[in-house]
Amino acid sequence: MDIKEKNFGLLSNGKKIKLYTLSAGDIKFSLTNIGAAWTSLYVPSHNGTSDDILLGFSGVDGYLNNIPFLGVTVGRFANRIKGASFTLNGRKYALSANDGENNLHSGPCGFDKLLWKSEAYEENEGVYVRFELERPDGDCGFPGKLKAVVSYGLTKSNEIIANYQAKVDIPCPVSLTNHAYFNLAGQGRGNILSHEVMLYSSHYVDVDKNAIPTGKIVSVDGGYFDFKSRRRIDACFNFFKTGYDHCFVVDGEPGKLRPCAEVKEPVSGRFMKVFTTQPGVQFYTGNYLNINGKNGLKYLKHSGFCLETQHFPDSPNQSGFPSCIVTPAKDYDEKAVFSFDIKN
């Protein structure tokens, strides 16, 4: 196992941006403290080549102007909040509208835009980077002071371990996730439509035309949301042409680590399995990508997919959804695991 640290750039105030590279097992994983972002992930294929399977940017400027949230840690609340507002304990809180009339990923000043405190360390059979962030009451419109601690690690067993923790001094909605875009064929190598996906979800969160939940939890059986058996991402695109940007309800008990997704890329043989403690996973197929990425490569529509483990979108406004409210007596403590293998 190995940890390397180097300077990645400077902010306008002179603060240093760091880049960490973790090596363990057959994988090399890089992260930066701007947005607590995943920047690269080299994974072997069945023919012995190792390719970077994360969409991202070659330099720090890309992460400072990261409109599609490539690889970043999202908070205080991941996903959409209807009307950019919510009411908690009788008080209405106004957020910034940055997705039509709605709030997406906490708005233009979310955790993904900030410089986190960071420290690399070795523990048990893995190497890790711990990121810390403290935000004041009223930050992005949310109530209360918050301290977030997020650690990402790489183990000898070819697993990325993600731990998300937060403390607040008054009740506040919290949902943290990482917004990594994967292409298991290798970043910049075409689209992900032939990837084969299985989701451990019998239901999904129904949404309106603006991707805001209607409040209904709907069975996936037999429809274009049915990934209970592994199938190509584009299997139903003749009916559902845009792609997926939907929250799936992870089967099993929230709070317990359980499988939520499997993805296989048939040419390379790369296989990824995802586990989470959270209630849902947002499956997004890069429907609006159109940017320049690493080494000048163009990332177009469907160049990558996301599996964002999180609370359901608009949970602060949906009393029937699992509660996302963190209190001084109840900390936020969630986990995700991404394991990698090669399968024929």
Side-chain angles (χ1 to χ4, degrees):
M1 298 189 298
D2 183 60
I3 302 171
K4 288 185 170 60
E5 177 184 335
K6 69 177 185 180
N7 289 334
F8 195 41
L10 292 173
L11 293 178
S12 58
N13 60 9
K15 290 187 177 180
K16 294 181 179 179
I17 301 171
K18 299 177 181 178
L19 184 71
Y20 299 90
T21 298
L22 311 179
S23 301
D26 299 319
I27 295 177
K28 186 179 290 186
F29 179 37
S30 294
L31 316 92
T32 178
N33 60 332
I34 187 71
W38 301 7
T39 61
S40 67
L41 179 62
Y42 283 85
V43 178
S45 67
H46 66 73
N47 63 13
T49 61
S50 186
D51 297 298
D52 183 6
I53 64 168
L54 282 184
L55 276 61
F57 304 101
S58 298
V60 71
D61 286 349
Y63 292 97
L64 294 174
N65 300 279
N66 189 355
I67 294 173
F69 301 93
L70 299 188
V72 293
T73 299
V74 178
R76 294 185 187 193
F77 190 87
N79 217 312
R80 294 173 175 86
I81 296 178
K82 182 180 180 179
S85 67
F86 62 91
T87 299
L88 180 60
N89 295 331
R91 178 178 171 183
K92 186 174 181 178
Y93 293 90
L95 313 175
S96 297
N98 64 328
D99 184 52
E101 296 179 351
N102 307 308
N103 177 271
L104 175 63
H105 298 324
S106 303
C109 57
F111 291 0
D112 57 292
K113 308 294 193 300
L114 303 176
L115 188 71
W116 295 59
K117 293 181 181 178
S118 57
E119 180 183 18
Y121 62 97
E122 187 172 327
E123 183 177 271
N124 299 327
E125 296 296 302
V127 281
Y128 294 80
V129 181
R130 173 188 170 98
F131 297 98
E132 293 188 14
L133 192 65
E134 295 187 16
R135 303 306 295 162
D137 179 34
D139 179 53
C140 293
F142 289 93
K145 296 179 182 178
L146 176 143
K147 180 178 180 179
V149 177
V150 176
S151 65
Y152 297 124
L154 182 62
T155 73
K156 290 182 178 179
S157 302
N158 296 333
E159 294 178 328
I160 291 177
I161 309 294
N163 291 300
Y164 304 96
Q165 297 173 318
K167 293 179 179 291
V168 296
D169 65 346
I170 62 173
C172 179
V174 178
S175 179
L176 305 180
T177 194
N178 187 274
H179 208 297
Y181 287 74
F182 298 93
N183 185 329
L184 299 187
Q187 63 88 25
R189 292 186 176 174
N191 64 51
I192 43 80
L193 298 183
S194 65
H195 284 47
E196 299 167 359
V197 174
M198 176 179 173
L199 299 176
Y200 288 75
S201 297
S202 301
H203 297 82
Y204 72 97
V205 178
D206 184 53
V207 293
D208 64 18
K209 64 180 181 179
N210 296 313
I212 296 297
T214 64
K216 297 178 182 178
I217 302 298
V218 181
S219 171
V220 303
D221 284 350
Y224 46 82
F225 293 100
D226 192 343
F227 286 92
K228 294 195 300 296
S229 297
R230 202 165 71 208
R231 71 180 190 186
R232 284 173 57 117
I233 287 175
D234 64 357
C236 288
F237 268 30
N238 59 334
F239 181 79
F240 193 57
K241 295 179 180 179
T242 302
Y244 294 91
D245 188 9
H246 296 81
C247 186
F248 287 76
V249 180
V250 181
D251 291 342
E253 183 180 345
K256 292 188 176 181
L257 190 68
R258 62 213 190 280
C260 72
E262 297 179 5
V263 186
K264 180 183 177 183
E265 199 287 304
V267 177
S268 67
R270 293 189 181 99
F271 177 82
M272 180 175 76
K273 189 168 184 177
V274 185
F275 303 79
T276 184
T277 58
Q278 302 220 58
V281 59
Q282 188 82 7
F283 178 41
Y284 176 52
T285 51
N287 307 330
Y288 307 104
L289 285 173
N290 185 12
I291 59 168
N292 294 317
K294 296 173 187 174
N295 304 314
L297 294 171
K298 191 77 172 180
Y299 299 150
L300 300 174
K301 182 178 181 179
H302 303 147
S303 290
F305 68 90
C306 305
L307 289 165
E308 306 158 57
T309 60
Q310 58 186 237
H311 274 266
F312 300 167
D314 199 37
S315 288
N317 291 314
Q318 299 281 351
S319 60
F321 288 179
S323 176
C324 64
I325 304 303
V326 179
T327 71
K330 181 187 175 185
D331 293 344
Y332 183 90
D333 189 1
E334 304 285 0
K335 183 176 183 177
V337 177
F338 298 76
S339 69
F340 296 90
D341 201 353
I342 300 169
K343 291 186 181 291
N344 294 322

